[in-house]
Every structure is written in C-alpha cells, then in structure tokens.
Amino acid sequence: MNNRIAKRMDSISPSQTLAISAKAKAMKREGLNVISFSVGEPDFNTPEHIIQAAKEALDAGNTKYTPSSGLLPLRKAICEKFAKDNGISYEPSQIIVSNGAKHSIFNACYALLDEGDEVIIPTPYWLTYPEVVKVCGGVPTYLVCPKENKYKFTAEELKAAITPKTKMLIFNSPSNPTGAVYTEEEVRAIAKVCEEAEIFVLADEIYEKLCYNGVKPFSIAKCSEKMKDLTITVNGVSKTYAMTGWRIGYLAAPHDVAKAIDSFQSHATSNASSISQYATMEALSASEEEVQKMVQIFDKRRAKLLDLIAQIDGVKAVEPDGAFYVMLVVDGLYGKCYQGKALTNSIDFANALLEGEKVATVPGISFGADDCVRLSYSLSEEDMEEGLRRIAKFVSELK
Ligand SMILES: Cc1ncc(COP(=O)(O)O)c(C=O)c1O
C-alpha cells in the first residue's frame, strides 16, 4: 500500500506552537517556575449555577441522544440570544448546536466549500482557519490587516482581494489573536462588498462579550436580509462562560445551509453532549453578572499588561479592544543574539524566552504574523507582572 494516509491530510500543517507548549509543560513538570502567556481559555471556573444545571440534568436522566442539531429548547434559547444580543431573528431550524465553535466552523466549511474555492482569511488569523479550509478542499487566501489600522482590514482592501474564485470570507471580530473589534460602520462597509460580490461570510463571534473601552461588536448578519442570507454566524459558550471543556458551540445559518449541516452532523457526530446542552441552556438564560465580572478582571489586566509593555524598550503592542490577547511586536529585536544564539523569527524568540526566562508565549508565525509573539492575559496579575519583568530582563540581555 503506497498511500496509507489519505492525500487530503497532506495539506494540514502540524501546529508549530505544539512543540513550544509541550516544552513549557515538560518544564513545569520538572518543577520549573514557568509563567505561561500561551493559554487560550479563561482562567476562571464555570459559574456554579451552570454546573448545578448540569448536575440536575444528570439526576433527571437527561443522558440520552438528543436531536442531532440540538435540543429544541436550547435552539429556541439561542434564537432568543441572537434576537436580544445581536438584533437578528432566526428560527430554531436555522440553528445547529455542535461540539464547540471549532466544530461549527468545520461544519460550515465542509458544507460550503468545493474543491478550489477560495476563502479570504484576514491575517493575523486564528490558526485553525487555514487548516480547516484546506481539509475541506478550499484554498486560503490571506488579507493582511495592518497594525497601523489596529489590525483591521478595510472594505476597499477586501474588495481588492476578492477574485472570481472567492466563495467566503472568514470574519472574526473580536479577533484572536489581535483583539481587533470592527465598528458598526466598518462592518456595514464590509457587508456591502460581500453582498455585491455575493460571497459568504463565516462570522466567528466567539469573543463577542469580551470587549473593553466601551467598544461594541456588530454582527454582520444584521446589516441586511441579503447579508443574513450570506452569513453563517458562529458562537459558543467556551470563552464567555469559561466552559471550554463542555464542548458546546453553535451556528446560525440560512435554511439551506443549516439543512445541509444538520444532515452532515447527523452522520458525523450526532448531537453534542446532552448534559452540556442543558448546562448551556442555563448559561444563556441566566443573568450575565458572572460574565461582567470576568470582563472587568480581563480589562484591568489588559490595561496593566499594556502599561508594562510600554515600559520595555524595543517591543510594542497595539491596544486590543476585545478577547484576551495582545500581540507583542518583537521584530525590532530580530538580528540580535541571546546567549550567543541569533534571534531571526518569532519561533527563535519564543524558544529563547522560554529556555532563558521560563516564559511561554505563542510565536506569531502560527497566526501568519512572524513579527510578533502572542501574549494571553488569562493569568493572574502577579504572574503577569513577574512574566513581564522576565521579558524585560530577556530583552535587556540581547546583544
Ligand atoms: C477565534 C476562535 N474561534 C473559535 C474557537 C473555538 O472555540 P471552541 O472551544 O468553542 O471550539 C476559538 C478557541 O480558541 C477561537 O479562538
């Protein structure tokens, strides 16, 4: 047998970040005091009332298959969420609940992309997007979002990037990794271009509630009926309710798209965990007090982190308005040496920082931005201060 592994797997790149995070974990296991800025999930527990709802679901025997697209009351609650938070009206048949937002994104790409269809991915991007697009037969094309424009692309830049083969734009606001949040005006201009070109938009709104500075995200599906018919909005509970392990994400789509995704999911995975679905119903219907508390803590850390970064010569950051990440721009230090080893890219930088100062970051190359490393501020203020002290020391020792 020449081809044990299917050709389609050739297109997937192994995660360049895995090696560094594996090294950070191994160092922690050895008892070393590693400060990790590489975490992609809130460092809070799932709120107690949500855990309680899951326990009650178990006790009530809600442990069986559900409809593959999710429990009807949950899909109704999701419709209410879209109406209340985003001003968009959906029917439960347009909602598919899946095993995390990542699964929803995969489903949407699988349902919409034919071999060779181009997908515009604004860069820096969340590292899963290009891989999912490739697995589904699509071709990622990249639209650079300049830091001078707070890591946002403009409608004109999008227009110039569209080709006759473009089928979809992936639009992630607030963004992982940059924290960029597009204003209503910017979203409306982008929607106009998508409507004219008749391209789909996969709107990943997983960080929508984690916004600061009074900035409010705006859902592209709200722009017009035509735009709604071209948009698949993805969201979930992982980040907002600190529920990464529960694996619930969902999407809202036009009827034909939702129907296709439902049939695919019914054969691929069936329903997401019934217990997690009950917990999600509670998360979506209860007060947002816990979320607000989390946002305030993140906001305080964000301000502190930016302040500490500003005190280090040779690095800089663009102020993020959402999510819980900051891109630390470090390319001004490339060409310098750390303990005799030259730093030429973000992987060198992240490796040397981890080995020398025991600080874990994610190299920007993973997000298509080799001039940066990503810092997550999902860690305590004390650890953050210590981590930044170590980064400052590391930078001062470069020759
Ligand atoms: C931009 C973005 N979209 C989607 C996801 C996936 O979330 P989930 O845990 O719901 O699969 C993540 C997780 O890191 C993310 O950063």
Side-chain angles (χ1 to χ4, degrees), residues 40 99-103 105 126 129 172 176 204 206-207 236-239 244 247-249 325:
N99 300 284
K102 191 182 271 185
H103 185 205
I105 291 164
W126 180 45
Y129 298 140
N172 176 215
N176 173 9
D204 180 349
I206 189 106
Y207 292 98
V237 292
S238 292
K239 316 287 175 174
T244 45
R247 308 312 301 134
I248 294 286
Y325 311 101

Side-chain angles (χ1 to χ4, degrees), residues 275-320:
I275 314 302
S276 298
Q277 289 191 55
Y278 279 93
T280 298
M281 252 189 283
E282 168 66 19
L284 293 180
S285 55
S287 103
E288 303 252 293
E289 209 179 306
E290 305 270 352
V291 182
Q292 289 317 317
K293 270 193 226 153
M294 187 168 82
V295 171
Q296 276 168 14
I297 295 171
F298 274 141
D299 194 16
K300 195 157 158 254
R301 291 178 186 168
R302 185 187 69 105
K304 174 135 224 169
L305 185 56
L306 289 169
D307 190 36
L308 292 168
I309 290 170
Q311 294 171 31
I312 304 176
D313 277 344
V315 301
K316 54 184 189 252
V318 175
E319 181 178 358

